């Protein structure tokens, strides 16, 4: 795939699987994974090694919201210590990985604002990232993972956007309140390249 210029995607959930992908790209040289992606990456043994490959890390924050914590499915299957080491958004960001967020529908609901909330309010607080960073991973990050420019509203760009009803917004970020218990925005309209594809 690297030689042919094709994007490769690797389904790697646990640390052993992620390590296997990282080792393969390390053999190709620093940054060889740039433009390619690893899907899920729920447990990562070395965020620094993963970041050095250049791989985009495509994650689903809803996994922690639904199954994380000391009493969730991960704790039941992996033990509490390993369960709290899953979906460590902050560790990957600090190491320098580019994150892309999605839903993994139909495994979890299509709920972008819920995913932003989940990334900003991880069961292990030190694994959380800011709502602004989570928003970027769910917008620009998704476009980057698809090897496309976009995800931002800028003059001259194709008009691809969604209109949301929202309560008060943060003056610094311009984003709605995604704290637990706050009412999340509701999608009113979706426009793709100037064409409305959904409207209430």
């Amino acid at each position: 795939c690297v030689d042919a210029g094709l994007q490769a995607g690797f389904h790697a959930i646990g640390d052993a699987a992620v390590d296997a992908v990282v080792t393969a790209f390390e053999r190709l040289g620093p940054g060889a994974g740039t433009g390619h992606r690893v899907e899920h990456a729920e447990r990562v043994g070395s965020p620094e090694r993963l970041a050095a490959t250049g791989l985009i890390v495509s994650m689903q924050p809803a996994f922690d919201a639904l199954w994380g914590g000391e009493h969730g499915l991960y704790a039941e299957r992996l033990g509490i210590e390993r369960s709290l080491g899953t979906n460590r958004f902050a560790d990957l960001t600090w190491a320098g990985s580019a994150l892309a967020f999605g839903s993994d529908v139909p495994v979890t609901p299509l709920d972008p604002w819920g995913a932003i909330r989940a990334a900003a309010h991880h069961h292990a607080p030190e694994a959380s990232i800011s709502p602004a960073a989570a928003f970027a991973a769910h917008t620009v990050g998704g476009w980057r993972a698809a090897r496309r420019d976009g995800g931002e509203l800028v003059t001259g760009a194709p008009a691809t956007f969604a209109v949301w009803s929202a309560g008060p917004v943060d003056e610094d970020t311009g984003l709605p309140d995604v704290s637990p218990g706050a009412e999340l925005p509701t999608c009113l309209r979706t426009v793709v390249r100037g064409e409305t594809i959904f409207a209430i």
Side-chain angles (χ1 to χ4, degrees), residues 20-186:
V21 174
V22 167
T23 298
F25 276 100
E26 286 175 339
R27 292 178 181 172
L28 295 173
T34 301
H36 304 284
R37 69 183 195 282
V38 58
E39 292 291 334
H40 305 314
E42 293 186 62
R43 272 200 60 87
V44 176
S46 172
E48 294 76 17
R49 284 181 63 207
L50 176 55
T53 66
L55 285 161
I56 295 166
V57 185
S58 175
M59 302 181 79
Q60 296 72 35
F63 291 173
D64 180 69
L66 293 172
W67 307 314
E70 296 185 5
H71 306 288
L73 176 68
Y74 291 146
E76 179 184 312
R77 302 280 175 90
L78 304 173
I80 291 174
E81 183 178 347
R82 281 183 61 81
S83 76
L84 294 178
T86 60
N87 300 296
R88 305 283 297 188
F89 312 117
D91 295 354
L92 295 166
T93 299
W94 292 331
S97 285
L99 302 184
F101 288 161
S103 66
D104 206 33
V105 165
V107 176
T108 61
L110 182 61
D111 180 12
W113 287 106
I116 291 168
R117 171 185 281 166
H121 298 280
H122 194 285
H123 277 94
E126 70 280 4
S128 300
I129 57 176
S130 70
F135 183 80
H138 218 319
T139 53
V140 177
W143 285 76
R144 184 185 302 121
R147 282 189 162 178
R148 296 174 63 191
D149 292 330
E152 296 178 293
L153 287 176
V154 294
T155 302
T160 297
F161 60 91
V163 178
W164 300 84
S165 69
V169 297
D170 182 284
E171 290 183 13
D172 294 328
T173 65
L175 297 175
D177 181 4
V178 294
S179 60
E183 185 176 345
L184 294 176
T186 301

